[in-house]
Each structure stands twice: as C-alpha cells, then as structure tokens.
Amino acid sequence: MLDIVNQLSIYLDNLIGIKGSLGYICIIVAIMIGHKFVNSSSSPHNNNKNSNNNGVINTGKTTDDSDSDDDEPDPPRNFTLRQLSYFDGQKDKDGEEDKPVYLSLGGTVFDVSGGYSFYGPGGPYELFAGRECGVSLAKMSFDEEYLDDFESLKDLRHGERIELENWVEKFTYYKSYPVLGKVVPTLPESDRILSKEDLAVHKGTEEIPEGYGAPPIYVGAGDKVFDVSFGGVLFYGPGCSYHRFAGVDASRALAKMSFDPADVENNDVSDLTDKQRKTMEDWIKTFHERKNYPIVGRLEK
C-alpha cells in the first residue's frame, strides 16, 4: 500500500512539477470537505425531516404563530378616555402583573411602558399615566385640571404649541415609544337610531375620520350598536376572523355562535332558544362591560 502511495506521489510531482504535491492535494480536499460539512449542517435548506420544500423549518405553527409576527405592531386603534385610563401601570385585577403604561399627547396614544420608572407608579410623571396630558406638558404643569383637557388644546399659545410638538417629537423619534392610536373624546350619540344601511358603511374599510386612529367598525348586538374599532381591530378588522360581523346586526350569529352566512345576514331573533338568548346577552355584556366598546347608536327595528 505504501509503495502505491509513493508511486502516486512521484507521478503527481512529475505531472504537476511541484514536490510533495500529493500532500497539498490532500489538504485542499480536507478543507473542501470541512467547508461542505459546516455549511450543510447549518443551512436552512438542509434535508431535515421537519423542513418543507421552501427550506423553512416546520415547527407545527402556522405563519400567524411565527416569531416574526410577534414583533409586528398591532394595527392602530381608537381609545375612549375610559379605556385609556386602564393603562396606568398599576397591578392588574389579579395583582400579579403590572399593566402597561399608556398616555396621550394631543390625542395620540403612546405606549410609554419603556419609561416605566418615569411614568409608572412612584415615578416623577406617574400623574400622566392613562391620561391625555397634552395641555399639561405644553404648559409644563402638574395641575390636574389640565389632564384629559381636549378643549384647551385649541387655546394653546404659540410657545406652548411648540413645546407640545417637541414632546411628540421626543416620544416618536428619540424615545421611540410605540404609537398605538388615537383618543376620541367626542363620540356619536348612543341613542341615535341606525338602519341596516347605516351599519353597512362602517366595516373598517372606509377612510379614517379626522381625530380617529382607525376607521369605525360597527357591530349590532341586541338593540345596541357598538364601535369595536375601540380595541377590537385585531378581531373585527379587514382580514380578521370576526370581520364578517362588521357592519351588520350580528345578534343572531352571535347568539348561535355561528359563522354561517345564513345567520350573519339574518337579524331575526324571534326563534332563538333561551340558551341562545343567554349567549347573546353574554356577548353584549362582554362588549359593554369587559371590552368597554362604546355604544354609538340603537338598531332600527
């Protein structure tokens, strides 16, 4: 065997004209094999049994469950002042976790949880947590009379307007606090009568009204009409699972827990069972008391 190797070495030396060429060739081959091994074991395009044809590791999750989607911000939403007040950084109702800290500047809602030591409980600016504080910061005042004061925003002096703009710029570009949406201080009358046609134009697909962070999404339930764009965009917005209920009287479908178009398009609840009526009432209670969706009218019957 050794004689064969020596003869091959002499042959290669004479062929290539370099003494010890067999050794060089062995080194090059070893490097190539090592490079191939390292890249094939770390490449996302390997033949792992959990990989699909696109070279993406199949973890059993859908695209909606991927980590990349977790990093995507939620779509803008609308807030009532009552909803905003919940996000004050205090402990949740179970006393286990701190709630996020939101505040509003001139109607624009920022998530300032990243500045918890400033805006959370015990911080120097805790007074502003869960509040509209545009006038307060424009005037550099801790007077509570300026909190949630939208009317005085129109009466700010030139220097105060510049100060408020500076705060907004600081929050947006320097602190990079996420913008979540808008506080809508004035809502439609809750006792106005809305027809089927009135509901149909509020599916969350129209232009965003002035002062809103998202287009209204009306859902009828019982005799009430709720605007679920105030926190329900991820469920009732375009492309979302409950969007079929947007812009319609969904009483029957909600009562029957049904996505059947025959139920979605039918607002007759006269033949519902007692259990189904209870289910519908539970939905209404959830909308009104738990979600705090504002009531923006009554259904025309």
Side-chain angles (χ1 to χ4, degrees), residues 36-103:
K36 178 67 175 178
F37 174 78
V38 170
N39 281 276
S40 63
S41 62
S42 62
S43 171
H45 300 284
N46 61 52
N47 292 323
N48 188 301
K49 65 180 180 180
N50 291 324
S51 298
N52 61 24
N53 292 333
N54 294 321
V56 178
I57 295 177
N58 180 6
T59 63
K61 296 181 179 181
T62 64
T63 303
D64 292 339
D65 295 326
S66 67
D67 291 339
S68 61
D69 284 346
D70 291 340
D71 296 333
E72 293 181 3
D74 291 342
R77 55 162 288 187
N78 299 314
F79 290 83
T80 63
L81 282 170
R82 181 183 178 187
Q83 288 175 331
L84 180 64
S85 68
Y86 172 81
F87 299 100
D88 58 4
Q90 300 288 342
K91 294 292 184 182
D92 60 20
K93 64 179 181 179
D94 297 324
E96 296 180 356
E97 296 184 0
D98 296 328
K99 293 183 289 185
V101 185
Y102 298 172
L103 61 77

